[in-house]
Amino acid sequence: MNLRQVLLSSAQWLLLLDKSQYHKDQSKSFLQMGQVLIIVAPCRSLIVYNPTEQLRSTVVHLVVDSPDAGVIDSKTGRPIAAQISAVWVEPSKASAETFQLSFVAELPPLSLIVYHVIKALAGSAPRARYIVHRHGNPPPVHSEHFQVSRLEGAEVNTPLSLKQKVRLQSGLVRQVQVQFLWYGTRTSGDKSGAYLFLPGGEGPQVSPPWYSTTWKVSLFTDTKKLLELFCFFQRFHNESLLCPAGHAGKSLEVSNTVDIRSEANRELAMRLVSDVASGNRFYTDLNGFQMQQRRTLEKLPLQANFYPMTSASFLQDSSSRLSLLSAQSQAAASLRSGELELVLDRRLQQDDNRGLGQGVTDNKLTASLYHLLLEDRRAGRFSTSPEVGGASVEHLSLLAHLASLSLCHPPITMVDPGEGSLPKLRPFQPLRSSLPCDVHLLNLRTLEDPQVSAEVTSCGHPSQEVALLLHRKGFDCDSTPDPLPTCSWSEDEEVGLLHLTRFLFVSLICCLMAALLALLASALQVDLDRLFSPLRFSSVRRSGFTLLRDHDEPDSAHQAAPLRPMEIGAFRVRLE
């Protein structure tokens, strides 16, 4: 049984109103994933799982077999605003058999929410309208079910530039441009390989795209719009999505699909060019835990200025910050002030004599996903970022943490098989409320009962204890999200901390307060009983990460788990 089957079986058990109807059959699962949803009468059940500990408002996409489809909330029976858009099979052709259905879902933390996908009246579902910008002389764009028009006016003969002006909350306007470029390898001596990056110099930019396809339809409410830009290049296509739902609505989603299997000794990179005066400094994360300052030095060769990026990188000056949040690990560099570039894919023909014994030629169609976030900063008088060895210690902003959480843990969709009568399903919501904004639930799993002999069962017997791992993130106070996030601080923090932490969100001197609280060794208190209701905890014991050693002082008396910023806590929790 693989992890997907475990997820489907668990979701089925949690959703069934009558648990006696649960039948474990690995050959025929009650729920399915990753398939085109064929709409049958009267409806198909769609289950959306939120794997995060935060309430989130997110756009859900699924592929259906009809352009006439609608979504209904199973709990209230009310229709949900949705739209139909095209599935592009070629740069100039949209599929006539499959379509993308999009709607905004409100997902409580760690919940399984049930929706119904129904067959709508012909032509009643809102459809995307497309505007095409063509460069060169490619074939015309055809779509049977969507309105397609060409760009008119003076911009028709202008090559497309992926450049955008962004106005921040303070009124400051910043420019951000996306470029793509090639890196080659040296012509003599050692060359790039699986372990070595030895470029022959900064490569040329990729030529303008053949197509630029944009669509925008006023959806969901009168004030919300879903904007998307498709750019088809010769070897890949770039897709940018802007949707104002939830925290991710403050950021721009950038997706690249790359296929360089026909290239030889070339590496493709994406570069962001902005007017942020970052100088020769930028920041990348270390294993998604903390940020480290990097410096670009001209005296070093080009390859020595590339650094690993696990999930986040940013540039900043005294008035703004440009953050790039990533769903995959890549190499990052800032070769000039205001620029940030990432290596998307590599194809190299030769071995670099470092042990692999072959080149990098097993490329596949490679997708990469990012969120681009531009924020105001109130640095200067109110900044209290300490320095270690001449390098300032910085953190992601609270909004960047929430956006990264949504990016790395996207919602998971499941559908029923659409065969025969369905048992009654009800939504599953295990948490009464979201965790505090800066607390991340790393793991909550059942521990094996040591009292049960291994001879009784080969796969172990579950105990009444669970392992709970929490991570409290450190965040930068120079950027204040507006509006404030829906998540809040715990109501059972130490004396005086509740009012101070609420004040952190709106005060310009929040960093001074945070530093004072750190000196006082104050700690966030998470009330586990109230949070995980209706589950009841009889004891909470701090443990090591191996869960083999208990803390000297059990926390069972007050049921509160102290957790300081930039700390990961492991606890053994016994259920009543």
Side-chain angles (χ1 to χ4, degrees):
M1 177 178 287
N2 56 35
L3 292 178
R4 175 173 292 191
Q5 291 173 326
V6 171
L7 178 61
L8 294 174
S9 296
S10 300
Q12 177 186 354
W13 168 263
L14 294 172
L15 290 168
L16 282 174
L17 185 61
D18 183 5
K19 304 299 184 185
S20 64
Q21 294 180 320
Y22 174 79
H23 298 287
K24 178 182 174 182
D25 185 0
Q26 298 184 18
S27 62
K28 186 177 181 181
S29 176
F30 173 74
L31 298 175
Q32 300 173 350
M33 296 173 61
Q35 297 182 358
V36 177
L37 193 149
I38 301 176
I39 305 174
V40 295
C43 65
R44 293 284 299 274
S45 293
L46 170 70
I47 293 90
V48 183
Y49 171 53
N50 176 15
T52 71
E53 67 282 351
Q54 300 293 339
L55 171 69
R56 63 195 293 182
S57 176
T58 185
V59 179
V60 175
H61 305 286
L62 63 151
V63 180
V64 297
D65 67 332
S66 171
D68 301 312
V71 182
I72 293 178
D73 189 329
S74 66
K75 187 175 182 180
T76 62
R78 297 178 180 177
I80 298 176
Q83 83 167 22
I84 296 291
S85 56
V87 174
W88 296 95
V89 293
E90 295 178 7
S92 60
K93 183 180 179 181
S95 173
E97 291 79 26
T98 57
F99 308 88
Q100 181 175 273
L101 175 64
S102 304
F103 67 97
V104 175
E106 300 289 338
L107 304 176
L110 298 177
S111 63
L112 290 159
I113 303 300
V114 183
Y115 298 94
H116 294 320
V117 181
I118 62 171
K119 189 82 170 180
L121 297 176
S124 62
R127 301 186 187 183
R129 299 189 299 270
Y130 292 87
I131 304 174
V132 179
H133 182 288
R134 300 170 60 190
H135 178 72
N137 189 28
V141 177
H142 297 284
S143 179
E144 177 182 350
H145 300 276
F146 299 92
Q147 177 184 343
V148 180
S149 60
R150 293 192 59 181
L151 188 66
E152 298 178 355
E155 298 180 354
V156 172
N157 298 320
T158 304
L160 179 70
S161 174
L162 303 179
K163 189 173 183 178
Q164 182 66 43
K165 292 183 178 180
V166 180
R167 183 179 299 275
L168 303 180
Q169 296 174 6
S170 63
L172 180 67
V173 177
R174 288 296 193 190
Q175 293 186 355
V176 181
Q177 183 177 7
V178 179
Q179 300 176 353
F180 297 91
L181 63 151
W182 292 108
Y183 281 103
T185 187
R186 294 176 177 177
T187 56
S188 60
D190 292 336
K191 297 184 178 182
S192 297
Y195 295 98
L196 296 183
F197 175 48
L198 301 174
E202 190 171 339
Q205 290 189 29
V206 178
S207 58
W210 294 333
Y211 289 99
S212 166
T213 305
T214 64
W215 56 269
K216 50 184 177 180
V217 179
S218 191
L219 287 174
F220 311 136
T221 68
D222 292 336
T223 59
K224 294 183 178 181
K225 292 184 178 180
L226 186 64
L227 307 178
E228 192 161 11
L229 171 66
F230 295 91
C231 296
F232 295 94
F233 291 77
Q234 186 174 1
R235 293 290 179 265
F236 63 97
H237 78 264
N238 167 268
E239 176 183 346
S240 300
L241 172 67
L242 175 61
C243 180
H247 302 302
K250 295 291 185 179
S251 58
L252 178 70
E253 181 178 296
V254 179
S255 173
N256 299 315
T257 303
V258 176
D259 186 2
I260 62 171
R261 285 175 287 188
S262 61
E263 301 294 330
N265 279 334
R266 302 185 82 177
E267 304 181 47
L268 182 64
M270 179 182 73
R271 175 185 292 166
L272 301 177
V273 181
S274 71
D275 53 359
V276 177
S278 59
N280 69 335
R281 300 188 180 190
F282 72 109
Y283 297 81
T284 63
D285 68 316
L286 294 176
N287 298 324
F289 186 72
Q290 65 189 59
M291 304 300 297
Q292 180 166 338
Q293 183 186 114
R294 312 293 191 178
R295 298 181 63 186
T296 301
L297 302 177
E298 294 183 357
K299 64 182 180 180
L300 297 179
L302 187 148
Q303 62 269 21
N305 288 309
F306 278 79
Y307 296 90
M309 180 199 71
T310 306
S311 61
S313 180
F314 64 79
L315 310 169
Q316 67 180 15
D317 55 23
S318 60
S319 59
S320 61
R321 173 184 287 186
L322 177 68
S323 302
L324 186 66
L325 312 170
S326 176
Q328 59 284 317
S329 301
Q330 290 172 315
S334 178
L335 301 181
R336 283 177 286 272
S337 178
E339 293 187 1
L340 181 64
E341 64 182 69
L342 308 172
V343 179
L344 300 179
D345 202 5
R346 322 172 67 217
R347 187 170 179 86
L348 304 163
Q349 308 304 119
Q350 60 280 326
D351 178 43
D352 57 4
N353 299 316
R354 292 300 183 275
L356 183 62
Q358 63 182 31
V360 182
T361 57
D362 56 347
N363 303 79
K364 298 182 181 298
L365 194 67
T366 304
S368 55
L369 184 62
Y370 312 93
H371 279 185
L372 182 63
L373 180 63
L374 194 57
E375 300 173 282
D376 281 312
R377 293 190 73 233
R378 298 182 179 90
R381 294 169 50 192
F382 305 105
S383 179
T384 60
S385 298
E387 290 195 0
V388 177
S392 62
V393 179
E394 301 283 353
H395 302 284
L396 290 176
S397 67
L398 185 63
L399 185 59
H401 275 305
L402 294 174
S404 179
L405 183 69
S406 299
L407 178 65
C408 296
H409 303 277
I412 299 174
T413 58
M414 298 165 275
V415 297
D416 69 80
E419 301 174 357
S421 60
L422 297 176
K424 187 172 180 57
L425 305 178
R426 64 176 178 184
F428 175 72
Q429 301 181 28
L431 296 188
R432 177 174 293 181
S433 63
S434 298
L435 265 68
C437 295
D438 60 339
V439 175
H440 176 45
L441 178 63
L442 289 176
N443 204 350
L444 179 65
R445 63 180 179 87
T446 304
L447 296 177
E448 186 176 347
D449 191 348
Q451 304 298 328
V452 179
S453 173
E455 299 177 357
V456 178
T457 171
S458 59
C459 57
H461 189 275
S463 68
Q464 288 297 108
E465 276 194 320
V466 295
L468 174 65
L469 278 79
L470 297 174
H471 172 207
R472 188 179 182 191
K473 301 177 181 180
F475 63 90
D476 182 80
C477 302
D478 289 336
S479 300
T480 304
D482 184 21
L484 299 180
T486 56
C487 52
S488 61
W489 295 88
S490 171
E491 296 180 358
D492 296 290
E493 290 152 339
E494 292 184 353
V495 177
L497 185 58
L498 171 63
H499 303 289
L500 290 176
T501 50
R502 286 180 176 174
F503 183 65
L504 293 179
F505 288 103
V506 295
S507 174
L508 293 179
I509 59 172
C510 66
C511 288
L512 296 176
M513 287 296 183
L516 177 60
L517 294 174
L519 291 176
L520 296 175
S522 60
L524 177 68
Q525 301 288 341
V526 182
D527 191 331
L528 302 177
D529 265 345
R530 294 186 58 186
L531 182 63
F532 290 94
S533 177
L535 295 178
R536 301 292 298 177
F537 295 160
S538 61
S539 67
V540 179
R541 293 181 296 167
R542 184 180 287 271
S543 178
F545 292 150
T546 61
L547 302 171
L548 300 177
R549 179 182 56 82
D550 295 337
H551 196 269
D552 294 334
E553 299 178 3
D555 298 318
S556 57
H558 49 77
Q559 295 288 317
L563 200 63
R564 295 178 175 85
M566 299 300 294
E567 180 178 278
I568 297 177
F571 306 90
R572 295 178 68 103
V573 180
R574 177 169 292 275
L575 303 176
E576 288 186 354

